Amino acid sequence: MGSIIPRKYSTVGSLIPFVECSKSTIWSKEDILKRVIEITSEQLGIPIKEIKGNTQFVSELGVDQ
């Protein structure tokens, strides 16, 4: 995965612009980041407390393995 994920999307927080939200709900950047972290935690089996907005997918979460 390290060679597939573009460098500019290497952190959890860099995915915020790609989250589609309900048009009837106003989401803050913090709300979206919280949800991205929850999804990342679920998908990777990593505790939420270990994931922050600046956490690196490859070097810190081992997504390339």
Side-chain angles (χ1 to χ4, degrees):
M1 291 291 292
S3 62
I4 296 173
I5 299 172
R7 184 174 296 280
K8 65 181 178 178
Y9 304 123
S10 64
T11 66
V12 174
S14 65
L15 299 180
I16 289 174
F18 300 100
V19 176
E20 188 169 323
C21 302
S22 169
K23 302 285 188 229
S24 63
T25 304
I26 297 175
W27 291 68
S28 69
K29 182 177 179 178
E30 292 78 21
D31 292 332
I32 295 170
L33 180 57
K34 181 180 176 192
R35 186 63 186 130
V36 169
I37 289 172
E38 290 170 354
I39 293 168
T40 301
S41 172
E42 289 174 22
Q43 293 298 310
L44 299 179
I46 297 172
I48 288 176
K49 64 183 178 187
E50 294 182 21
I51 305 171
K52 307 289 182 243
N54 63 350
T55 299
Q56 298 285 316
F57 280 111
V58 176
S59 63
E60 296 178 90
L61 299 180
V63 175
D64 66 336
Q65 301 172 358

